[in-house]
Amino acid sequence: MQGTASQLKSTYQTFNDLRLRNGYVAISDVQRLVLILQKAGVAGEMTPELEGKFEAAADFLFVRINNFHRVLENDSNVDTTGEVIAELEELLDLADATIASDFSELKDTSTMLGLAAQAAGRVLVAYLDEVRHMQDEQLAQQSAAVDKQLTFLRVTLIVLMLLGVVSLFLLRRDRDARQAQEEAEARVRHLAFNDPLTGLPNRVHFQDRLGAMLDVPDPSVALLLVDLDGFKAINDTYGHAAGDAVLRHVAVILQDAVRPHGGIAARLGGDEFAVLLQMPDESPLKCLCADIIEMIARPLQFEREMLQVNASIGLAMDADIRSGISLDTDNLTRAADFALYASKSAGKGQCTVYDEVLEQQFLRRQAMVNEMPRAINDGNMEFYLQPKVNLATGSTYGFEALVRWRRNGVIVPPEDFISTAEESGVIMDIDRFVLCAASRVIAQFNKEHGTDLSVSVNFSTVHFNSPKLINVVNDALVASGLPPELLTIEITETVEMQDWTQAGDIISEIHQLGARISIDDFGAGFSSLAYLRTTVADEIKIDRSLVEEIETSDTSRFLLDAVLDIARNLELDVVVEGVETQRQVDIVRGLGATSIQGFFYGEPVPANVALARALAEHTPTEHRSAS
Ligand code: C2E
Ligand code: CA
Ligand code: CA
């Protein structure tokens, strides 16, 4: 730009320099002529040398005039150019006339030549002034134009710079927005694949990884499903912040445990975690599981509380998956699930390795869960009766009703389906069925034979979390017409009985109906004593485990004696269960027991068989005494 400006300037300069040179050279041409005239004047004549110089000077003038003519063609701007030409031509005409006269009339013309030279000199000075003045003006104009151009260029530059800054700003804003969007996307991705509380991979992420690990030839994948025991109690007792602390703590334990083996720990939801490892051997895996269980069981300090949970683990390896079913995420997870389920049922805080038998068991349980509700309606649930015998008289005074399931024509014992029925909740229907059916049958029998046989039914502790139980019992009594005092409800203390206050209320209500309450399986765990004191009961049934070794173990005898003593102090009836031999009968009687139930007097049998036997007892010939 600067270059363009100076270029412009120099073009004008060159043109003006030409004008000026023409002007100055013309002056010197005129002066040369005047000088020759002066020399001739001094000499008093024209010497031949001076004549030659005069002619040469006239030639120069001629050339100069020609130059001015050329300049004039392109240069109408300088007003005095025309005057200069006119004066120079007049001077040249005089000079030519002098030469033409062979300088003979020089004396006459020299004055006129001098005057014409003066006039030409004057007009040339004016010309030069004008050219200089014009040059200044043009230069000023040019500089102004150049300045204008420069200003324009500067403004353009500033605008361009501003545009640059603005676009930079926009670009940066765009980049920031893109960065923020990318960060947001990354956060969403993280949330989509990670659990926000523990930061562990979530179920979706875990399944992806498991799928990828299984999707290679000969994978060696071990899957551990880890479930916390007692987590709900932490939440309920200490609040959710405490629960969260436990979950985070467990996450750290799992991560630390799997890191050396390059494994992955994930949180599947709630208090369920999973671990993926590429370890083909079972024994180091079992050690790892034991370590995890042990570490999770250690108490955790939270604020001023010490929190403690246990963990159950189900372990499945790809090699466990039967040939014939596909080795995929679903099947391996289901296998580990079976194993976890087994750990939980086996009393929690342990690890179970999946095996096929386990799966078969599970499938059998599932089938039962599906079939049981229908079994009641289809008349395939029935009850057996086992006699309760008065030790003093040896006669049956009542029965315990024990459920049986006739499944595909085969009798299934309760131990094979009660726990499943409890888990699925169908136990409520089963117990109600036995209660109603047994009450009806016994009431009917008593009515027909003038007897007052009693009946005991078992109630799962699951009922004691439901306030509707009282109506169930009342309805059965009303429908059967059985006097309430002939009905005994047997209950077993279990860990599942969560709310003892509510259970206590329900028990009192049953009591108020006039029915009796019996505490079943007493002595299976001696902890029952405390519970005995706080519960309104009419009877306790001493568990078979106390009777089993009574012939050989002094401890068992001592325990039975102590329990009978407590029962007497609390004025409770006592039924000793599981008596199988005459010797057991003798010892139990010796300890002061009054009622007995066991194979020695009769196994559970179909109701009609049991009642027929009881009827026979009432005919003196067939009476069987408890000797
Ligand atoms: P339980 O209430 O302790 O019932 C007594 C169990 O001991 C019965 O087993 C009975 O056959 C068995 N038994 C009685 N005397 C002897 C003996 O001398 N020796 C031996 N070895 N066993 C004896 P069963 O009928 O198989 O019932 C098992 C358990 O199933 C019952 O134990 C009870 O807890 C539960 N159950 C049975 N029927 C029902 C029911 O209708 N509802 C509920 N919720 N549970 C039931
Ligand atoms: Ca019982
Ligand atoms: Ca029992």
Side-chain angles (χ1 to χ4, degrees):
M1 188 176 50
Q2 289 282 15
T4 321
S6 53
Q7 217 172 348
L8 267 171
K9 272 186 182 172
S10 76
T11 310
Y12 283 98
Q13 190 76 45
T14 312
F15 194 60
N16 277 312
D17 287 352
L18 193 74
R19 284 169 173 157
L20 287 172
R21 208 175 60 241
N22 260 350
Y24 284 122
V25 173
I27 285 178
S28 75
D29 289 343
V30 171
Q31 277 178 340
R32 185 184 291 124
L33 196 75
V34 171
L35 207 65
I36 292 164
L37 286 175
Q38 278 176 349
K39 279 182 179 168
V42 170
E45 60 172 353
M46 280 295 266
T47 63
E49 190 198 343
L50 286 173
E51 282 177 7
K53 283 187 178 173
F54 190 91
E55 281 171 23
D59 287 345
F60 277 127
L61 269 179
F62 177 77
V63 173
R64 205 59 55 214
I65 289 164
N66 263 347
N67 277 353
F68 270 107
H69 271 295
R70 271 211 305 279
V71 167
L72 189 66
E73 279 168 20
N74 303 312
D75 187 14
S76 57
N77 293 340
V78 184
D79 299 335
T80 44
T81 312
E83 285 175 53
V84 167
I85 291 170
E87 290 298 338
L88 288 178
E89 279 179 341
E90 199 183 322
L91 182 61
L92 182 62
D93 284 348
L94 280 172
D96 281 344
T98 305
I99 294 164
S101 69
D102 278 338
F103 301 99
S104 55
E105 291 168 27
L106 184 64
K107 281 193 178 132
D108 301 329
T109 54
S110 66
T111 310
M112 287 168 66
L113 274 167
L115 288 170
Q118 263 180 18
R122 251 196 328 271
V123 83
L124 275 168
V125 169
Y127 169 83
L128 284 171
D129 276 352
E130 196 186 345
V131 168
R132 260 195 228 99
H133 181 70
M134 204 179 68
Q135 182 187 31
D136 287 349
E137 253 186 14
Q138 273 174 345
L139 272 175
Q141 265 176 24
Q142 284 311 317
S143 333
V146 167
D147 283 352
K148 231 161 107 184
Q149 217 173 355
L150 278 174
T151 310
F152 172 74
L153 283 170
R154 277 194 200 105
V155 169
T156 312
L157 242 183
I158 288 168
V159 169
L160 280 175
M161 267 164 65
L162 277 175
L163 276 175
V165 169
V166 168
S167 32
L168 256 178
F169 170 75
L170 288 175
L171 271 175
R172 180 174 298 168
R173 210 180 57 178
D174 193 44
R175 192 198 58 196
D176 289 352
R178 223 179 20 246
Q179 226 168 37
Q181 193 186 345
E182 276 167 11
E183 276 167 20
E185 277 172 9
R187 260 203 312 278
V188 168
R189 256 201 313 278
H190 185 82
L191 280 178
F193 292 107
N194 291 81
D195 161 46
L197 179 68
T198 61
L200 292 183
N202 63 13
R203 186 183 285 273
V204 177
H205 191 177
F206 155 80
Q207 279 184 327
D208 282 356
R209 297 294 294 267
L210 177 57
M213 278 164 100
L214 291 173
D215 200 19
V216 292
D218 281 335
S220 68
V221 181
L223 167 60
L224 279 66
L225 290 182
V226 183
D227 195 286
L228 302 185
D229 307 321
F231 177 70
K232 190 181 175 298
I234 298 272
N235 260 347
D236 292 349
T237 317
Y238 303 105
H240 282 90
D244 287 355
V246 168
L247 293 174
R248 275 196 291 262
H249 175 63
V250 170
V252 171
I253 290 176
L254 293 180
Q255 256 175 334
D256 289 350
V258 302
R259 193 171 295 123
H261 309 281
I264 302 161
R267 180 175 173 218
L268 305 186
D271 59 353
E272 257 183 89
F273 293 84
V275 165
L276 283 176
L277 290 158
Q278 277 176 312
M279 285 165 73
D281 297 325
E282 194 176 296
S283 64
L285 279 167
K286 279 162 104 173
C287 288
L288 187 71
C289 289
D291 286 351
I292 290 174
I293 289 172
E294 192 265 322
M295 282 187 290
I296 291 178
R298 286 184 202 166
L300 165 73
Q301 168 106 39
F302 175 74
E303 290 169 0
R304 268 183 288 162
E305 308 293 345
M306 289 304 273
L307 309 177
Q308 202 271 328
V309 286
N310 289 307
S312 295
I313 301 183
L315 165 61
M317 284 167 283
D318 59 284
D320 293 329
I321 302 301
R322 267 184 292 131
S323 55
I325 66 167
S326 62
L327 173 59
D328 58 19
T329 318
D330 280 356
N331 283 328
L332 191 65
T333 310
R334 214 188 51 202
D337 236 357
F338 289 151
L340 175 63
Y341 177 80
S343 288
K344 291 252 175 202
S345 335
K348 309 181 177 175
Q350 33 187 302
C351 169
T352 307
V353 183
Y354 168 82
D355 71 28
E356 227 183 296
V357 177
L358 205 73
E359 186 183 13
Q360 298 306 329
Q361 263 175 19
F362 181 85
L363 294 175
R364 272 203 300 277
R365 289 176 90 96
Q366 265 323 102
M368 284 198 281
V369 168
N370 297 337
E371 282 176 52
M372 272 187 284
R374 229 181 26 242
I376 301 172
N377 294 334
D378 295 353
N380 289 325
M381 284 287 173
E382 50 191 84
F383 65 91
Y384 279 16
L385 291 177
Q386 184 180 30
K388 288 165 95 174
V389 173
N390 181 325
L391 252 185
T393 62
S395 61
T396 300
Y397 68 90
F399 296 97
E400 177 174 6
L402 296 154
V403 74
R404 296 292 181 268
W405 179 7
R406 190 178 294 276
R407 193 182 184 208
N408 305 322
V410 180
I411 292 290
V412 185
E415 63 189 15
D416 286 1
F417 65 90
I418 291 290
S419 63
T420 312
E422 282 180 331
E423 277 161 29
S424 71
V426 76
I427 191 70
M428 311 278 271
D429 299 326
I430 293 176
D431 285 352
R432 192 191 305 127
F433 158 74
V434 174
L435 168 71
C436 295
S439 305
R440 196 179 58 240
V441 166
I442 297 296
Q444 183 68 28
F445 183 87
N446 283 341
K447 209 164 129 192
E448 279 175 19
H449 303 284
T451 49
D452 53 0
L453 292 170
S454 63
V455 66
S456 297
V457 293
N458 294 281
F459 260 49
S460 164
T461 48
V462 175
H463 295 278
F464 291 91
N465 299 322
S466 147
K468 283 191 200 147
L469 181 59
I470 180 71
N471 301 331
V472 171
V473 176
N474 190 45
D475 291 352
L477 287 171
V478 170
S480 65
L482 184 75
E485 64 278 12
L486 294 184
L487 174 67
T488 302
I489 306 288
E490 294 189 7
I491 51 175
T492 312
E493 183 198 18
T494 60
V495 279
E496 279 79 27
M497 196 100 125
Q498 283 160 5
D499 185 353
W500 267 111
T501 334
Q502 191 185 15
D505 290 349
I506 295 169
I507 290 168
S508 319
E509 281 177 343
I510 294 175
H511 223 204
Q512 278 161 23
L513 283 179
R516 298 171 78 251
I517 298 293
S518 174
I519 294 171
D520 207 352
D521 300 340
F522 190 81
F526 224 59
S527 64
S528 317
L529 276 177
Y531 149 58
L532 193 62
R533 270 198 290 277
T534 57
T535 312
V536 195
D538 303 277
E539 175 191 281
I540 56 170
K541 294 185 82 172
I542 295 178
D543 192 63
R544 189 158 63 88
S545 60
L546 276 186
V547 181
E548 247 169 3
E549 291 173 3
I550 208 163
E551 294 162 75
T552 51
S553 157
D554 287 346
T555 315
S556 293
R557 246 196 320 270
F558 169 77
L559 278 177
L560 185 60
D561 192 22
V563 171
L564 285 168
D565 206 36
I566 292 163
R568 269 193 296 273
N569 284 337
L570 294 171
E571 296 179 337
L572 294 168
D573 292 341
V574 178
V575 179
V576 180
E577 275 195 292
V579 179
E580 294 181 348
T581 66
Q582 180 67 58
R583 174 113 181 83
Q584 285 172 346
V585 173
D586 293 342
I587 296 170
V588 168
R589 187 190 284 117
L591 291 172
T594 52
S595 299
I596 214 162
Q597 184 182 337
F599 290 174
F600 183 73
Y601 287 106
E603 292 182 20
V605 286
N608 57 343
V609 179
L611 290 170
R613 284 183 190 163
L615 193 59
E617 273 181 25
H618 286 84
T619 56
T621 44
E622 284 183 37
H623 180 76
R624 182 182 181 186
S625 83
S627 53

